[in-house]
Amino acid sequence: MSEEKNEKMQDADEVVQGRRDFLKHVCTSSAAALVAATTPSEAVDNASNPDADVTVAEFFQGHFLLMSEEEKLQAIARLEKRYSAQYSKKTTVSNAPAPDGVLFGYALDISKCIGCRRCVHACVKENNQSRNDPEVQWIQVMKMPKGNIAFTADQLDKGYPEKSEFGDYGVQVGGNAYKTAGLSTEDAQNYYNDELVPDKDFFYMPVQCQQCEKPPCVKACPVRATFRDHAGVVLIDYNWCIGCRMCQLACPYHARRFNWGEPHLPAEEMNPKTHYFGNRPRMRGVMEKCTFCAQRTREGRNPACQEVCPVGARKFGNLLDPDSDVRRVLATKRVFRFKEEAGTYPKFFYYIG
Amino acid sequence: MDFLHKSPAIVALALCGVLATGVSAVNSAHAAEEKPAAAQNAQPVTDCFESRIGYSSVTRVENADPKYGYPNVKCSQTTGAVLWWGDPFDGTIPMGEMPDISDSTRGDFDHAVVKPREPQLQYFNMGPNGCETCHNGKMVPFPKDSKPRLIGMHQDIVENSLKLMHGRGALWCLNCHSATHRNHLIDRQGNEISFNQPQKLCGGCHGENYIDWRAGVHGKRIGSWATGGKKRWWVCTECHNPHTVQKARFNQLKPESPPPLPRGMKNADYERAGDAKH
């Protein structure tokens, strides 16, 4: 009896064991299958086919800043392999960290700028933007009429609060209301196509990402795909961006560009030296903007727009270093920030040299 | 079926027609697609200039940096201007000895490099001895004094030697060009200065700009952004023409192409509405 019972219990044990084994087997194998599908090696093999653009592994990757070192290296290797196959040239994706003890700043002399737009196109050559349909440019040069100050002293006391059938809202009309006081972007021309520049009676104001100390775009991003690094530059993890364009709405400087379609970047024009947060080719449906050329400035070189300016109106450097070009400009010239009233504290300064 | 048996030739012709029209349709569709791509694949511009036409020219060299397959420069298709340097120190030499000015803005010249000006000067490169090929005291005698007089030569550089567009009448050629060593410039103390270092000469009068230039505020430097890093400095004559500077400090030039109009917009005339007001 006891033996019988023992046998039965053994059977039951075996059954339970068997069931457990079975379940275990099934679970692990299916999990393995899932893992296998997402391992970088297999996923990257798919990447040689340009249609399998965003691989499964890339799709499942987390925020780059929260990855472990190993995951970061895997992600970089994945991208390098994909880009190298896609553009048929050896592409490097750097992961160089921002230098310590540095706060990047930029200064632009609007009295020298001649509006030649070389910075715009140098930026495109460096940063792998889509070349046509859509043509994406990160810098916008505004041609502004000189002296558009309509605000006059004799009109100062002529304003009065607007009256309406719903009551007195206190919105001023009359007098100087709705007149520009100082410079206004209202009369700016962005699409000017003159034979020669600079045009008489105009000055030029290039606008790009102002790398704010209090960036509204970072506040607006619901997934924290855009963030400010410790050198003060606002960057985007293109793989983590969900394309909601909230940052674009939040930016007072019209500095962000959205990839509405598949970017068209000819292989021969592609810059193979890239950075994860910088100029690596973007995909459809993600936001992009000026990064102060992360791939250059993190390695000590000047941004492309600074290098190309034929009149030397652009100065780049470390705001924490009193001997840097930018600090010298801040110390000796008349400096202003664009849309200072927005409270964004840009690290991009305009000066009159 | 009867029809087929009777006139196979007609059927064959008809089939061919269908095929042919189909093929041509496909071709035309492709042509429409490839048109913008062909425009993109236009040959890269090889004869380029830095900052100004005729001031410093560069020839594009493919694969100058084999690590990334970079050319030395990338140039604009519309103007031929250099837009991008593969290596910012390509073709540079050390700036050379610079005088020490003991104020807070003393220059950071330890790793300063410049592009030599001498290879860019047209007359300098006409003979083996530079300007002294002709200005050797025999072929062209040395001038006795620096009094302005009418000169028939070099009118492409200075149109009217009695109206030099620099210094508002106070200067003449031999205030800056050495009378006896024509391959050199000469400053007011009589020191001979290389064409590669015009800043030493210009700084003698334009002290304010010279101090700003030494501090990195005036002019252009590329390369490293860090203080003490290696930088290529632009010297005065790479941007300014000393012979016409009184007319324009920086002559007008042709701009690069404007950004694309938003989809559906025919022109940007609405922007120019403001022109009338001002």
Side-chain angles (χ1 to χ4, degrees), chain A residues 126 190 198 271 315 321 325, chain B residues 70 84 219 221 227 252 271:
Chain A
E126 170 72 19
N190 301 319
N271 178 2
K315 302 288 168 197
D321 173 8
D325 295 3
Chain B
Y70 280 166
W84 185 93
R221 304 191 296 189
T227 308
Q252 284 187 312
E271 282 189 337

Side-chain angles (χ1 to χ4, degrees), chain A residues 92 99 102 104 112 114-118 121-122 125-126 131-133 135 137 143 145-148 187-199 202 266 268-269 271-273 296-297 300-302 304 306-312 315-318 321 323-325 328-329 332-333 351, chain B residues 36-37 40-41 49-52 67-70 74-77 79 81-88 104-106 212 214-227 231 234 239 250-263 265 268 270-275 277-278:
Chain A
T92 58
V102 168
F104 283 132
K112 285 218 183 91
I114 55 170
C116 67
R117 285 208 193 93
R118 280 190 207 170
H121 292 266
K125 291 240 183 298
E126 170 72 19
R131 293 299 203 275
N132 60 333
D133 192 31
E135 190 178 341
Q137 296 173 349
K143 175 182 175 182
K146 280 180 188 169
N148 60 348
D187 295 329
Q189 300 177 21
N190 301 319
Y191 302 100
Y192 66 89
N193 193 12
D194 299 324
E195 273 303 306
L196 291 170
V197 288
D199 201 353
F202 287 89
E268 69 274 6
E269 286 190 34
N271 178 2
K273 187 187 178 187
R296 285 171 166 235
T297 50
R301 192 172 165 188
N302 271 310
Q306 189 275 350
E307 291 201 341
V308 80
C309 181
V311 293
K315 302 288 168 197
F316 179 79
N318 180 4
D321 173 8
D323 287 334
S324 70
D325 295 3
R328 288 252 167 82
V329 166
T332 58
K333 303 292 176 187
Y351 69 101
Chain B
Q40 286 286 316
N41 292 343
F49 63 89
E50 288 175 351
S51 79
R52 322 292 312 273
K67 192 181 172 196
Y68 297 108
Y70 280 166
K74 289 185 190 171
C75 309
S76 161
Q77 295 281 353
T79 61
V82 172
L83 292 179
W84 185 93
W85 281 266
D87 172 13
S104 61
T105 58
R106 65 187 175 280
D212 266 2
R214 286 175 66 106
V217 174
H218 181 99
K220 175 175 174 179
R221 304 191 296 189
I222 70 173
S224 167
W225 51 259
T227 308
K231 293 183 170 84
W234 254 253
C239 302
F250 196 94
N251 295 335
Q252 284 187 312
L253 48 80
K254 187 170 182 275
E256 301 295 327
S257 53
L261 289 168
R263 203 164 285 179
M265 198 190 282
Y270 73 98
E271 282 189 337
R272 302 178 56 81
D275 279 8
K277 273 192 279 178
H278 304 288

Side-chain angles (χ1 to χ4, degrees), chain A residues 56-329:
Chain A
V56 179
E58 223 179 302
F59 183 77
F60 279 120
Q61 97 184 24
H63 194 297
F64 196 78
L65 289 188
L66 303 178
M67 285 185 191
S68 68
E69 281 307 308
E70 195 192 346
E71 284 171 329
K72 281 184 185 175
L73 292 179
Q74 278 178 1
I76 296 259
R78 245 178 349 240
L79 287 171
E80 284 185 347
K81 193 158 185 186
R82 175 159 76 83
Y83 293 142
S84 298
Q86 197 175 340
Y87 298 99
S88 348
K89 60 168 104 171
K90 178 91 184 70
T91 306
T92 58
V93 180
S94 164
N95 178 24
D100 291 322
V102 168
L103 193 65
F104 283 132
Y106 212 115
L108 197 153
D109 189 344
I110 53 166
S111 68
K112 285 218 183 91
C113 178
I114 55 170
C116 67
R117 285 208 193 93
R118 280 190 207 170
C119 50
V120 178
H121 292 266
C123 172
V124 171
K125 291 240 183 298
E126 170 72 19
N127 285 302
N128 289 329
Q129 285 100 324
S130 175
R131 293 299 203 275
N132 60 333
D133 192 31
E135 190 178 341
V136 176
Q137 296 173 349
W138 290 352
I139 304 176
Q140 183 184 35
V141 184
M142 297 193 294
K143 175 182 175 182
M144 316 253 282
K146 280 180 188 169
N148 60 348
I149 299 173
F151 194 94
T152 53
D154 60 312
Q155 295 286 310
L156 270 177
D157 55 350
K158 300 289 192 294
Y160 54 89
E162 189 178 28
K163 296 269 191 321
S164 82
E165 56 177 309
F166 304 111
D168 178 357
Y169 286 103
V171 179
Q172 189 195 306
V173 292
N176 283 320
Y178 308 114
K179 285 186 183 166
T180 50
L183 298 177
S184 154
T185 55
E186 211 155 271
D187 295 329
Q189 300 177 21
N190 301 319
Y191 302 100
Y192 66 89
N193 193 12
D194 299 324
E195 273 303 306
L196 291 170
V197 288
D199 201 353
K200 204 173 165 291
D201 296 333
F202 287 89
F203 72 94
Y204 299 84
M205 185 165 169
V207 180
Q208 63 204 74
C209 176
Q210 309 277 308
Q211 312 294 2
C212 310
E213 277 296 282
K214 294 190 174 180
C217 51
V218 170
K219 283 186 207 165
C221 181
V223 294
R224 299 196 185 180
T226 186
F227 57 91
R228 182 187 165 283
D229 75 2
H230 63 259
V233 180
V234 177
L235 300 168
I236 305 167
D237 182 349
Y238 307 118
N239 277 67
W240 198 246
C241 174
I242 57 171
C244 68
R245 311 197 328 271
M246 300 286 267
C247 53
Q248 197 173 28
L249 282 177
C251 176
Y253 303 104
H254 185 47
R256 290 183 163 248
R257 303 287 184 269
F258 187 65
N259 282 288
W260 285 98
E262 201 62 52
H264 290 121
L265 174 61
E268 69 274 6
E269 286 190 34
M270 188 253 188
N271 178 2
K273 187 187 178 187
T274 68
H275 191 280
Y276 186 89
F277 294 121
N279 63 342
R280 69 186 172 99
R282 274 76 59 183
M283 42 290 217
R284 184 165 64 103
V286 301
M287 199 56 77
E288 63 182 61
K289 67 165 193 71
C290 160
T291 62
F292 278 173
C293 286
Q295 67 284 355
R296 285 171 166 235
T297 50
R298 287 189 172 195
E299 292 177 7
R301 192 172 165 188
N302 271 310
C305 53
Q306 189 275 350
E307 291 201 341
V308 80
C309 181
V311 293
R314 289 168 167 268
K315 302 288 168 197
F316 179 79
N318 180 4
L319 286 172
L320 304 181
D321 173 8
D323 287 334
S324 70
D325 295 3
V326 176
R327 278 290 293 276
R328 288 252 167 82
V329 166

Side-chain angles (χ1 to χ4, degrees), chain B residues 3-4 7-21:
Chain B
F3 173 76
L4 272 183
S7 52
I10 294 172
V11 174
L13 268 177
L15 270 175
C16 275
V18 170
L19 273 177
T21 46

